[in-house]
Structures are given as structure tokens and as C-alpha cells.
Amino acid sequence: ETHMLKPYDERVYKTKLMLESIIELSSIHEDNIKLSRQNNFKNFKKDEFYKFNYVVDSTQFEILDFKGFEAEYINSEITDQKRLKYDTTQPFVKPIKYFNHYKALDSIRIPDYYIVKSAWTKIIEKLNINQVKMQQLKKDTLIKVDCYRIKDYKTVNSPYEGHYLHYKTKVTTVKDSVDLKKGDWLVPTHQSARKYVIEVLEPELKDSFFNWNFFDSILQRKEGFSAYVFENYAEEF
């Protein structure tokens, strides 16, 4: 019987072969890869809506030749239950459906700008690292904007990469006039970092700064007024 556990040196060798194949293919198709990447950015710049929340489209598929080994269930000498066993002496090739198309369930209208208050220093740092072009306000300004309110969200029970990620985030949009202060940032979406800007600043998107906990302080319950203190002032009024 052939065991499926692979020796460490064999795993390293096969990983090395795979990386060499990727490098070789990338070199052969260098021009096509660069052109496809340029066309993707060019087409994306024209889009008015940004689609997200993709799921597999079960109506579209290709037929793929799947190579495998015949399997059977045999009695386990350890548990006395049935266990799976692959017979490597009986290979087979079987056509299967390969679902390689996805469809978006949601979309948002791409704004011309996002506004990031200067207090969000960690977010501004991340935008700068990713070479996002931004404009800093030179004076206090009152501006009419579309504001997001966090309507609902879920949080994972266990940390991932040191974060308790939010998911299934839902927002409501309201029009409001906001006092922007000198030093706040305008982040235009018409730039080469367009996709990155949308992905991190739209709260509902999976990898948004909101879902990665950068805005968690807005979710904290702050202390309200104390009735016994306020009543003294109420009597005076």
C-alpha cells in the first residue's frame, strides 16, 4: 500500500518544480501578461459600478479530464470501522464539470472621492504605502456628502492574522453636510490605485479597513450624560 503522507524532501522538490514552471511560463508569456494587466486597468477605469460578493455560477462550466485512482472502503484494523483506501495500481481518467465562472451578487456606485479624516493615521499610512494619490484640505470646509452608517455586521469567534474580522457588513447611506477640517484627506477614485481604494474604503467589501478592525473605535459605546448631573443644569434653565 502506498501512503499519502509525502516525505519533506519530496514536497520541497515538487514545490521547487512548480515555481520553476510558473517562472518559465511567465517569461514565455511576458508580453501577453503585461498587455492583459494594462487592458484590465483600462477597462476598469470606465466602470461606473463596482461588483462584489462573487459566487460560483453553476450554469457555466467546462469539461475537465480528472485523473485519479480507484477507491474502496475497507475495514480498519484500528477502529473496526470502514476507511477509505486509494488503489494506486488502478488509475483512471474521468470527465468532470469545472466551474470556473463567477457572478456578483452585489454592486456599489463608484464615488468620485472618499474622505478620510486626519485622525485615522493608520489608514492614511496604509494608503501612502500603497502609493494612493490623495489631496489634503488646506482649510476647514463644509461639504455635502453621502455618509455611511453601519447597519449590521458579524464578527468571527476566533482571530485570523491577529484580527477579529467582521463580515456580512451592511450599511445605509444618508446625505448630510459634514464639517471637514484642515488636514483631512480627499481620496480620488480616478487613479491607478482605483481598485485598491474601493476594496479598502467600502465597508461592505470583504477586505475593507472596517472589516479588518481599523474603524472599531466607532463601534464602542461612549458614555452618555448622567441624569443626576444634568438635572442641576435643567433646574437652572
Side-chain angles (χ1 to χ4, degrees):
E1 181 182 352
T2 302
H3 293 283
M4 297 303 288
L5 297 175
K6 299 177 179 65
Y8 181 72
D9 58 348
E10 185 180 332
R11 287 165 55 200
V12 171
Y13 176 68
K14 289 182 177 179
T15 302
K16 177 174 174 284
L17 288 179
M18 183 193 72
L19 292 172
E20 287 174 349
S21 296
I22 292 172
I23 292 169
E24 184 180 356
L25 285 169
S26 298
S27 178
I28 293 170
H29 300 288
E30 177 185 0
D31 293 337
N32 286 335
I33 293 171
K34 286 182 176 178
L35 183 62
S36 295
R37 185 172 166 79
Q38 288 169 4
N39 289 336
N40 180 56
F41 282 123
K42 194 183 298 180
N43 294 332
F44 178 53
K45 283 179 182 178
K46 302 173 187 174
D47 290 345
E48 186 180 352
F49 289 87
Y50 188 77
K51 297 176 181 179
F52 65 99
N53 197 7
Y54 281 86
V55 295
V56 172
D57 184 351
S58 59
T59 65
Q60 298 188 67
F61 56 86
E62 295 177 10
I63 300 298
L64 188 71
D65 286 335
F66 178 78
K67 296 179 180 180
F69 295 111
E70 296 293 347
E72 61 178 332
Y73 283 89
I74 62 174
N75 290 323
S76 169
E77 295 181 7
I78 298 173
T79 65
D80 200 30
Q81 302 293 318
K82 293 291 184 181
R83 75 171 183 87
L84 181 66
K85 177 180 180 290
Y86 288 101
D87 187 349
T88 55
T89 65
Q90 295 190 61
F92 71 81
V93 178
K94 182 172 72 172
I96 63 168
K97 292 179 179 179
Y98 174 44
F99 298 95
N100 58 347
H101 292 271
Y102 289 76
K103 58 184 178 183
L105 298 182
D106 298 294
S107 68
I108 54 102
R109 184 184 292 275
I110 301 172
D112 292 326
Y113 292 89
Y114 290 99
I115 297 169
V116 180
K117 307 285 270 182
S118 60
W120 302 109
T121 53
K122 288 185 178 179
I123 291 172
I124 294 162
E125 179 188 356
K126 298 286 185 190
L127 295 173
N128 278 321
I129 288 171
N130 286 278
Q131 300 176 4
V132 173
K133 294 173 184 175
M134 301 181 288
Q135 301 164 247
Q136 198 167 26
L137 294 180
K138 293 181 168 47
K139 62 179 182 179
D140 294 357
T141 309
L142 182 68
I143 185 171
K144 196 168 186 178
V145 298
D146 288 328
C147 289
Y148 284 145
R149 300 278 187 266
I150 302 299
K151 182 181 179 182
D152 193 24
Y153 67 94
K154 308 295 181 191
T155 305
V156 298
N157 294 322
S158 301
Y160 174 76
E161 298 292 346
H163 291 259
Y164 280 88
L165 297 175
H166 304 311
Y167 65 100
K168 290 188 177 178
T169 300
K170 298 295 180 186
V171 300
T172 55
T173 306
V174 294
K175 292 191 180 295
D176 199 2
S177 293
V178 175
D179 280 315
L180 300 182
K181 302 300 182 185
K182 177 183 177 181
D184 289 344
W185 295 91
L186 290 178
V187 185
T189 56
H190 295 283
Q191 59 170 300
S192 57
R194 181 175 171 92
K195 189 175 192 297
Y196 174 80
V197 167
I198 297 169
E199 285 281 349
V200 297
L201 295 182
E202 279 293 332
E204 292 184 325
L205 270 61
K206 184 178 179 182
D207 282 316
S208 67
F209 283 143
F210 174 82
N211 284 335
W212 277 90
N213 309 127
F214 284 89
F215 284 107
D216 273 8
S217 59
I218 68 171
L219 303 174
Q220 293 174 216
R221 186 179 178 85
K222 299 297 184 182
E223 184 182 356
F225 78 92
S226 299
Y228 75 93
V229 174
F230 186 74
E231 192 164 335
N232 294 331
Y233 291 99
E235 288 173 3
E236 291 179 23
F237 293 145

